[in-house]
Amino acid sequence: MPQVVFSDERTVAYGTEDCHRMRRHIFTELYPITGDLAVRYVKTAERESFEQANFELQDIYHQLRIADLNLCADSEELFKMAIRLANKCDTARQRTLSPINAYETCSRIVGFYQIKAPCIKDDNPEPALNRMCSPGWWNRRIHILRLRKIETIARNIELVNRLRGTYASDYTVHVKRKQKERNREYLATNFVSNQNGEIFSLQNLADRSVSNPVVRRTELMTRIRGFEMVAEHLGHVGEFYTLTTPSRMHACLHTGRANPNHDGTTVLQAHEYLVHLWALIRAELDRQNIHPYGFRVVEPHHDGTPHWHLLLFIPEMHREATRAIMRHYALMDSGNEPGALKRRFEAVPIDPAKGSATGYIAKYISKNIDGYKLEQDLYGNPAASAAERITAWANTWGIRQFQQIGGPSVTVWRQLRKLDKTEDPELETIRKSATASDWAAFMLAMGDPETSHRSHCIRPFYDESKRLNPLTGEIYSPATSRYGDAVPLRATGIVWKGKNYSTRKHVWMLLKVDSEDVTLRSEAQAERTSCHDAAVSLGLVSITVPPPFYDQKIIHEKPTQH
């Protein structure tokens, strides 16, 4: 392989013949990242010694080679390994006397390969066992483990920083880009049909949902602006907070060099630290009867270490108490280290004279989605490229980038936007505020910001999943999932004054791309479209133009460096 030959040539001047054979074996096994490993080997050998470079290379190899599982193998080999491990669990399951013993045995097999075993729910181990005996389940878990292991190694050997690959490694960005291309191809070539015979591509439906970056950004900005309007109505003040992790959790310094104090904390562990920190802060705020509302944004430093931005609204009298509580907990861990007072917690008051709170956070929303109306990020990278790398970072680590704090249920909001006109005047007023994208009116109708979801006048309605039988056309509810556990209920409407209002208008079934049914339905759809176009041209049918997306002006300010 060319990359192996290149790596051999780069490192041939270091070590003995045994070192050369050892390196060639590792480079062959870890061929997807061989080039970067060779560059790192040379750098370590020059800085310290070839013995240290050998030790580091062997350590990386043992992280990516777990017994007979080579995480750098190609997708076909990984799937074959998934089949073998699933069969191994199935064999162990058949040899045990009880499901609990089988679960314990299979869990040990799963844990040996550094994968978390599925939990037992409702005292029934069968669904968890079915997962561990499924090649598909193993294949997904192996690919997640592979990407996170490689990304952790890349971060530790200085491949994720402002000088090499900002936010995420080039390898991870490439993998996620290819994955998105495959997803788009799948969505564009697969179709669904409803009980009325209407047919849509999955891509068409995905473009109308929050999976579309434009729709996602628009909805976030609408909700944030609504929070700000409610705060103005109630006389509350806006605060912009930043929480960061201790320096020992950062893999690289701001210069791009390795952080000598890094303790090996991964991106996910750093994020879990911030989650726990926020849980402590929220608990103390609740004890002080302080209930902030707003949004949280998670984004990476240049080396992939996460930090949090929070735009919160609170009564003026709680401003100082909130700051004191957040500062106290932010500095509990390593609060005396250099720079902790300046960087670990920052509070910026929102001054309406300088700009709106929505405009202040708009650049953070845009930067983490698609780079809309931004030219570049803090490190001079094009905004669109930076957004792609941040999205790859968040997807790799399973980090939720945006989270609403306080306020009404967004599930109710979305269900109301699907609901048809009602005869109840009070409910109709709330429904119209949702369909008009007026989050402020919707929020006030649901109660003040401190009202808990349990006390809201409207709650989500959850019902069984419905499917369409492609052979008989009958509508049915699947009792269990592919693994044998109960199918979770889905939000299909709202509950208002004890009455259920359903928003489910269609039941769907998936059609294969080469199905005869797709061809026939597509021809019928084309005929209906042709007739509709003819009716429009004759003035018999009006064309409905969708309202423009909410467009929030972004306030461009010099970003704070962390």
Side-chain angles (χ1 to χ4, degrees):
M1 289 176 284
Q3 58 267 44
V4 176
V5 175
F6 165 80
S7 301
D8 272 343
E9 294 174 350
R10 285 294 301 267
T11 59
V12 69
Y14 302 94
T16 65
E17 185 63 27
D18 288 339
C19 295
H20 174 73
R21 285 194 294 270
M22 179 271 296
R23 289 196 303 265
R24 185 173 183 82
H25 171 70
I26 293 178
F27 289 154
T28 303
E29 290 278 297
L30 310 183
Y31 70 91
I33 58 173
T34 288
D36 290 325
L37 293 180
V39 172
R40 175 66 180 185
Y41 184 95
V42 172
K43 183 182 294 186
T44 303
E46 292 293 334
R47 286 180 181 175
E48 301 179 41
S49 65
F50 77 86
E51 291 90 350
Q52 179 62 30
N54 286 341
F55 177 79
E56 185 178 65
L57 186 62
Q58 289 175 325
D59 180 62
I60 292 172
Y61 173 76
H62 291 307
Q63 291 182 57
L64 294 173
R65 184 70 192 235
I66 308 171
D68 54 342
L69 173 59
N70 179 10
L71 291 174
C72 282
D74 59 31
S75 296
E76 184 177 351
E77 287 299 320
L78 290 178
F79 185 67
K80 290 179 180 178
M81 187 64 189
I83 294 175
R84 288 197 294 272
L85 292 174
N87 290 338
K88 187 175 182 179
C89 286
D90 188 55
T91 301
R93 181 182 187 179
Q94 300 302 325
R95 291 178 177 176
T96 52
L97 300 177
S98 69
I100 291 297
N101 292 337
Y103 174 81
E104 293 175 351
T105 303
C106 292
S107 294
R108 284 194 292 270
I109 297 174
V110 171
F112 177 79
Y113 290 97
Q114 301 178 23
I115 295 174
K116 185 178 179 181
C119 298
I120 295 178
K121 298 180 179 179
D122 300 324
D123 297 325
N124 181 15
E126 292 296 337
L129 283 169
N130 292 338
R131 285 174 167 82
M132 291 185 283
C133 296
S134 165
W137 182 87
W138 272 101
N139 191 48
R140 288 189 294 274
R141 293 303 179 273
I142 288 173
H143 275 83
I144 292 173
L145 178 65
R146 172 191 189 178
L147 201 55
R148 290 183 179 180
K149 282 278 188 180
I150 292 177
E151 187 65 8
T152 297
I153 290 169
R155 184 168 171 261
N156 292 340
I157 63 175
E158 303 174 49
L159 296 179
V160 182
N161 57 59
R162 62 185 302 175
L163 303 180
R164 290 296 303 272
T166 313
Y167 311 124
S169 67
D170 292 338
Y171 172 83
T172 293
V173 174
H174 174 75
V175 169
K176 288 299 180 181
R177 185 182 298 140
K178 291 298 182 181
Q179 181 181 346
K180 284 187 175 181
E181 291 174 359
R182 291 193 299 271
N183 291 345
R184 281 195 293 268
E185 181 180 0
Y186 175 84
L187 293 175
T189 56
N190 285 271
F191 302 84
V192 290
S193 176
N194 59 31
Q195 75 278 13
N196 298 328
E198 297 172 318
I199 185 169
F200 300 91
S201 72
L202 293 177
Q203 184 64 62
N204 182 274
L205 298 179
D207 288 341
R208 302 181 185 186
S209 72
V210 290
S211 299
N212 184 337
V214 175
V215 176
R216 186 184 187 197
R217 171 171 44 79
T218 300
E219 185 189 80
L220 283 170
M221 296 302 299
T222 298
R223 289 155 62 191
I224 292 171
R225 177 55 183 161
F227 272 130
E228 184 176 21
M229 294 173 66
V230 170
E232 292 173 354
H233 173 73
L234 299 175
H236 294 173
V237 296
E239 292 271 280
F240 191 80
Y241 304 113
T242 300
L243 294 171
T244 62
T245 59
S247 62
R248 58 183 170 80
M249 297 185 182
H250 293 256
C252 291
L253 303 173
H254 189 67
T255 59
R257 294 291 299 271
N259 176 16
N261 298 322
H262 182 223
D263 63 357
T265 300
T266 66
V267 170
L268 194 57
Q269 289 170 339
H271 180 63
E272 289 170 349
Y273 163 84
L274 291 171
V275 170
H276 177 66
L277 174 62
W278 177 243
L280 295 175
I281 291 172
R282 288 207 69 170
E284 182 60 30
L285 289 173
D286 191 61
R287 285 190 289 268
Q288 300 290 337
N289 201 28
I290 301 174
H291 305 285
Y293 55 98
F295 264 87
R296 180 214 72 181
V297 180
V298 184
E299 63 177 13
H301 288 290
H302 69 106
D303 66 343
T305 308
H307 61 282
W308 286 17
H309 296 299
L310 301 103
L311 175 63
L312 301 178
F313 299 96
I314 51 176
E316 171 71 33
M317 62 180 178
H318 294 322
R319 186 201 297 265
E320 293 303 323
T322 301
R323 289 189 178 190
I325 291 170
M326 295 185 70
R327 184 181 296 106
H328 168 74
Y329 285 101
L331 297 175
M332 282 185 66
D333 187 329
S334 308
N336 295 325
E337 65 180 2
L341 292 176
K342 179 181 179 182
R343 297 184 177 90
R344 297 278 294 283
F345 171 72
E346 183 180 1
V348 178
I350 300 298
D351 186 356
K354 296 181 179 179
S356 68
T358 307
Y360 194 90
I361 201 175
K363 59 177 177 289
Y364 294 97
I365 299 294
S366 179
K367 174 185 174 183
N368 286 274
I369 295 181
D370 56 4
Y372 176 72
K373 281 195 174 182
L374 296 177
E375 295 181 0
Q376 60 184 26
D377 67 355
L378 177 63
Y379 307 105
N381 303 308
S385 174
E388 180 189 23
R389 301 186 77 92
I390 292 174
T391 303
W393 168 85
N395 290 343
T396 297
W397 295 106
I399 292 176
R400 184 179 180 181
Q401 292 175 274
F402 311 102
Q403 183 176 13
Q404 178 180 311
I405 297 173
S409 167
V410 70
T411 301
V412 170
W413 159 271
R414 290 169 179 166
Q415 292 299 319
L416 282 172
R417 291 169 65 84
K418 299 177 184 179
L419 187 65
D420 292 331
K421 183 178 180 181
T422 67
E423 300 299 327
D424 189 307
E426 191 177 355
L427 176 59
E428 182 63 14
T429 300
I430 303 176
R431 187 195 70 84
K432 286 183 178 179
S433 67
T435 56
S437 298
D438 190 344
W439 180 267
F442 167 71
M443 183 174 175
L444 292 174
M446 295 288 284
D448 62 58
E450 297 186 359
T451 303
S452 66
H453 283 190
R454 293 181 179 179
S455 302
H456 285 167
C457 56
I458 304 177
R459 289 179 296 162
F461 170 61
Y462 293 93
D463 195 10
E464 296 177 338
S465 177
K466 304 290 184 182
R467 295 182 186 175
L468 194 63
N469 189 314
L471 299 178
T472 65
E474 296 178 349
I475 298 174
Y476 70 99
S477 297
T480 59
S481 70
R482 71 177 75 174
Y483 297 117
D485 42 11
V487 176
L489 300 179
R490 302 180 55 135
T492 59
I494 62 167
V495 179
W496 165 259
K497 294 182 178 179
K499 182 180 179 181
N500 300 334
Y501 291 79
S502 176
T503 59
R504 178 185 281 147
K505 298 180 177 65
H506 302 292
V507 180
W508 303 91
M509 66 177 176
L510 181 66
L511 304 175
K512 299 298 182 182
V513 67
D514 57 350
S515 169
E516 180 182 356
D517 194 30
V518 172
T519 305
L520 295 176
R521 290 172 186 271
S522 298
E523 292 174 355
Q525 179 67 23
E527 292 179 5
R528 286 196 296 271
T529 302
S530 176
C531 293
H532 180 271
D533 292 342
V536 170
S537 66
L538 295 174
L540 301 177
V541 180
S542 61
I543 302 177
T544 302
V545 180
F549 285 116
Y550 173 80
D551 190 10
Q552 173 64 37
K553 180 181 179 182
I554 297 178
I555 298 177
H556 294 275
E557 296 182 359
K558 185 178 180 181
T560 304
Q561 296 193 15
H562 301 293

